Amino acid sequence: MFTPPPIARDRLPALLAAMPKAELHIHIEGSLEPEMIFALAQRNGVALPYASVEQLRRAYDFSDLQSFLDIYYAGASVLLHEQDFYDMARAYLARAAMENVVHAEIFFDPQTHTARGVGMETVIRGLHRACADARAELGISASLILCFLRHLSEEDAFATLEQAMPFLDQFIGVGLDSSEVGHPPEKFARVFARCRELGLHLVAHAGEEGPPAYIWSALDVLGAERIDHGVQAVHDTALMRRLADERIALTVCPLSNLKLRVFPQLSQHNLKRLLDAGLVATVNSDDPAYFGGYLNQNFTEVFAALPQLDARDAWQLAHNSFAASFAPEAQRRAWQDRLAECFAQHAGN
Ligand code: HPA
Ligand code: ZN
């Protein structure tokens, strides 16, 4: 196992920003900045219930997941045309590339758009073209994960999968997001079984606000390969052991957890505890336009709030982000080698 060289604490922010990393939990609709919401509203003639960018931003004062989702779905209502989806994803990928994100696995919520009459092809073509162009022009690798909205029915999820069938080569997996409590993974057992037959990767949000039981069923009923959030796992010792033993990654989102009051303060976040228990934890931004920061800010703020996190944890988190990604193994190893080089350089400076 690589042991990172000693690095002074005051040099951690620069290291966190410079290190190559993967982002595995980003909802592309959650990267829509208020300025772009207003620009797209004007371009598409969509009326918004907010008078200005500032007024919209002031509404970003959330008390829990649902209070966020209501505003997040309203923001996404300005997306109508393929170019809108392209512009949104290109903006995120440009920002991510600047932050030394070398690979992103990007969630999208097609039901939010198809329910408004936007075609599945419009959504997927726009997002996929942005990923292809970003790879060619920015050198960042990116793939798409289609998320089912868990507050909607199983039937709606099956209809969504059917609409996405012609584009199976343009997304790598499926996920499960939206309102967690009251919508357990079991509701989507049959849809996920079908997706597994289709050869898609499977992930699911579980244990963000919901109980450890939802993490167990995401694993055992859905066959999820990664758990999105998963921070409630600490309340179940047997589950913690299972996640560590089976190397099931958690895509943790510190600023999201703070803004949606999963933890009252960042200093109470359990990221260090998850790492110390041997879990494959990663750091991610979730919905960066809404939660006050992109990936590097999630890293720097959580490291500032938890003084026990050190350079070894930084290396472990970035290393985990590649290990937990769905990229080919040779590619993952190449990124991990670049990570080791980055640490060696920082120790020398
Ligand atoms: N949880 C559930 N659904 C979501 C989230 C989240 O953090 N972000 C966007 N959709
Ligand atoms: Zn999420």
Side-chain angles (χ1 to χ4, degrees), residues 302-315:
V302 79
F303 271 69
L306 298 174
Q308 315 92 311
L309 287 171
D310 61 14
R312 161 124 210 138
D313 295 309
W315 172 82

Side-chain angles (χ1 to χ4, degrees), residues 6-30:
I7 290 167
R9 191 157 182 90
D10 63 349
R11 302 240 303 280
L12 268 179
L15 176 68
L16 293 167
M19 66 183 186
K21 45 195 139 1
E23 174 145 66
L24 306 177
H25 186 160
I26 156 81
H27 301 262
I28 201 62
E29 294 88 351

Side-chain angles (χ1 to χ4, degrees), residues 29 76 79 85 88 108-119 123:
E29 294 88 351
L79 297 159
F85 291 90
M88 169 173 66
F108 67 107
D109 286 341
Q111 287 153 297
T112 303
H113 314 300
T114 53
R116 297 180 289 111
V118 176
V123 178

Side-chain angles (χ1 to χ4, degrees), residues 165-179:
M165 288 297 280
F167 309 99
L168 269 184
D169 59 337
Q170 296 182 37
F171 59 100
I172 60 163
V174 296
L176 189 62
D177 66 359
S178 190
S179 321

Side-chain angles (χ1 to χ4, degrees), residues 25-27 65 68 72 107 147 176-178 205 208 228-229 251 253 256 285-287 291:
H25 186 160
I26 156 81
H27 301 262
L65 174 58
F68 154 69
Y72 162 83
F107 295 142
C147 281
L176 189 62
D177 66 359
S178 190
H205 283 54
E208 177 184 15
D228 296 311
H229 292 294
T251 61
C253 306
S256 166
S285 70
D286 206 6
D287 300 282
F291 298 150

Side-chain angles (χ1 to χ4, degrees), residues 125-176:
R125 283 204 191 115
L127 297 177
H128 190 263
R129 187 160 54 86
C131 292
D133 286 358
R135 183 188 287 268
E137 292 162 25
L138 306 169
I140 183 172
S141 142
S143 28
L144 297 170
I145 296 179
L146 182 159
C147 281
F148 298 112
L149 298 181
R150 69 202 302 159
H151 68 275
L152 300 178
S153 66
E154 178 195 44
E155 188 187 1
D156 206 311
F158 265 119
T160 301
L161 179 60
E162 202 54 44
Q163 290 162 13
M165 288 297 280
F167 309 99
L168 269 184
D169 59 337
Q170 296 182 37
F171 59 100
I172 60 163
V174 296
L176 189 62

Side-chain angles (χ1 to χ4, degrees), residues 1 83 175 186 206 210 233 346:
M1 188 46 103
Q83 191 64 34
E186 284 83 347
H346 271 258

